[in-house]
């Protein structure tokens, strides 16, 4: 079951979408400047790694998953809390 079929797999189920590959495709867009690519690149890589650590595929991301990610971002990971503006950029 894939997002294209209108169904989302549950977290931990196999996903038809590979987050790192899709992130690379997004960042390769000619519509983005090099500075934007660099700025977003770290944020996208961090999100993809976070998904992978949890066994969640990109097509399983929904509001609930994003809420968990926001809580993780704002929860002082790596010994530092992020400002709300930084969290907004990362989303």
């Amino acid at each position: 079951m894939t997002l294209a079929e209108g169904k989302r797999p549950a977290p931990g189920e196999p996903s038809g979408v590979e987050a790192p590959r899709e992130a690379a495709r997004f960042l390769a867009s000619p519509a983005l400047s090099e500075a934007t690519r660099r700025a977003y690149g770290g944020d996208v890589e961090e999100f993809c790694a976070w998904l992978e650590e949890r066994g969640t595929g990109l097509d399983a991301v929904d509001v609930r998953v994003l809420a968990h990610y926001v809580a993780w971002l704002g929860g002082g990971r790596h010994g530092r809390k992020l400002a709300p503006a930084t969290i907004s950029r990362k989303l």
Side-chain angles (χ1 to χ4, degrees):
M1 294 181 194
T2 67
L3 186 58
E5 296 169 340
K7 298 177 182 177
R8 296 176 184 266
E13 284 185 12
S15 171
V17 179
E18 295 178 28
R21 183 180 48 157
E22 292 302 315
R25 187 176 64 86
F26 166 75
L27 292 171
S29 170
L32 300 177
S33 72
E34 189 58 37
T36 300
R37 274 189 201 93
R38 281 192 308 272
Y40 288 175
D43 295 337
V44 171
E45 286 177 19
E46 181 178 54
F47 181 61
C48 289
W50 183 85
L51 289 174
E52 192 171 304
E53 288 172 8
R54 284 150 185 79
T56 303
L58 190 59
D59 54 355
V61 173
D62 58 13
V63 172
R64 182 181 47 84
V65 172
L66 291 175
H68 287 282
Y69 183 60
V70 168
W72 180 79
L73 288 172
R77 85 227 195 298
H78 306 301
R80 62 186 172 99
K81 289 188 177 183
L82 297 178
T86 302
I87 292 172
S88 293
R89 187 200 70 227
K90 287 178 174 289
L91 293 176

